[in-house]
Structure formats: C-alpha cells, structure tokens
Amino acid sequence: MNHNRVVCFDLEMCCWNENGVGSTGEIIEVGLAEVDLSAGEIVKRAQYYVKPEHDDISLFCVELTGITPRKIEKQGRPLAQVIQSMIKNFGGPKKIYASWGRDDLILLKECEAKGIDAPFKEFLNLATLYRIQHRLKDKRIGHRAAQESLGIDWEGRQHSGYVDAYNLAKLALAIL
C-alpha cells in the first residue's frame, strides 16, 4: 500500500428532480486527482465519461453538471473500460482512494451490479475526517463550504467530476 499517494475522486450520475425531490442513477463521469502527500502536491488528474446502460441524461442533469447526451455519446465508454483506465493510470488496490461523502458505495454498488471488480480496497471519507477535525458531530457540511472555511479557493464549475476531484485534492492536502 502506498500511503504517500491518495487518489481523490468524484462521481457525477444521471439525475432527476421531480416535484423538488432529487434522485440519481448510473454514473456518467468519474473525475480523479492524485496527491503526493510527501511532496504536498497534485501529481495527476483525469476525467472519464461513462455511457450509462439504462438511464437517460435529463435536462435537469445537463443544467446541473454540464454533461450533455451528445458528450456522452461521443466521449463516453462503458464503466468496465473506465475502471480499467482508472487502475492503469492511477493504480488499483495498492492506492488509497478518497471522496467527499460515500461515492465509494455508489461506485462499488454499480460495479457489483455490472459484474466489474472494484478498482480499490482502501477508502477515506474526507467529509467524515473534516467533521471529526472540526468537531462537527451532527452537522453536515458541503465540500465547497469546508474548503472555503479553510481559506482554500474553489476553482471551476461545481458538479463537474473533474473540477470537484481537483478541488478535493487541494482540500486533502490541507487535512491529511
């Protein structure tokens, strides 16, 4: 296990908002940013679009994420291929993966449903770590609010897996 490297990742999924109630479906984007804790820097980034097998991309989802059906049609690949690229380019079980919240469960559940081996074994929930460090026992805090509370500027459009993973990597360097 390489404890000096952490792969921060963020997922975007098909999503809908009906009568003010949000729901999500299959993964359509995986953003990754790897940090080298010894060097204190972000060393690698990637963005992968995923073709959903069953879900459609709603207008709400396009407005939220900026991901259009056309973009997925042109650049999307099956989840199994994306997972292979993640393992090849970022390492698999020998790396620690981290997200804000439980994106690991979403990814692992979809991998299991599609018969794909999980890309990692070790996982850190940076939201839980942040809440422990700041004694926020029962309070939830969003990724952007947590980052800005530490004086770390947010860069880019929120709800882009690529952008969110990069910003999470900046936050990870501050709290790990």
Side-chain angles (χ1 to χ4, degrees):
M1 181 65 59
N2 185 341
H3 291 91
N4 290 321
R5 296 282 182 106
V6 175
V7 179
C8 298
F9 74 99
D10 185 77
L11 305 175
E12 299 302 326
M13 288 83 67
C14 290
C15 51
W16 304 270
N17 184 352
E18 296 183 22
N19 302 321
V21 178
S23 62
T24 59
E26 290 177 279
I27 297 165
I28 55 173
E29 181 193 8
V30 181
L32 301 109
E34 185 173 340
V35 296
D36 181 326
L37 297 173
S38 312
E41 63 186 12
I42 298 167
V43 294
K44 193 184 305 186
R45 295 175 70 185
Q47 176 180 45
Y48 302 109
Y49 289 110
V50 181
K51 277 190 178 172
E53 293 178 13
H54 308 288
D55 294 334
D56 294 321
I57 299 171
S58 68
L59 180 58
F60 171 78
C61 191
V62 172
E63 291 170 355
L64 181 68
T65 67
I67 300 169
T68 64
R70 181 171 168 81
K71 184 175 284 191
I72 292 298
E73 185 181 307
K74 292 182 114 187
Q75 298 177 38
R77 297 183 294 146
L79 182 62
Q81 288 180 19
V82 168
I83 297 296
Q84 288 173 347
S85 293
M86 287 170 60
I87 292 169
K88 179 183 174 198
N89 297 318
F90 288 88
K94 291 187 165 87
K95 292 278 182 72
I96 299 168
Y97 277 64
S99 70
W100 189 265
R102 295 310 309 260
D103 280 11
D104 64 313
L105 295 179
I106 295 165
L107 182 60
L108 296 175
K109 182 178 176 184
E110 191 164 330
C111 282
E112 184 179 334
K114 294 180 177 178
I116 303 165
D117 290 335
F120 55 83
K121 300 223 182 303
E122 293 278 340
F123 174 76
L124 286 172
N125 180 343
L126 295 178
T128 299
L129 180 60
Y130 179 89
R131 284 197 323 271
I132 290 168
Q133 289 176 343
H134 293 87
R135 308 290 188 259
L136 302 174
K137 292 178 187 157
D138 297 324
K139 295 182 184 175
R140 291 179 49 108
I141 184 167
H143 169 195
R144 186 172 183 156
Q147 183 168 317
E148 290 175 346
S149 78
L150 296 177
I152 304 168
D153 289 336
W154 185 272
E155 295 179 49
R157 178 180 197 221
Q158 200 168 3
H159 300 297
S160 155
Y162 184 70
V163 168
D164 291 354
Y166 172 71
N167 281 294
L168 186 60
K170 292 187 342 180
L171 179 60
L173 286 171
I175 68 174
L176 293 177

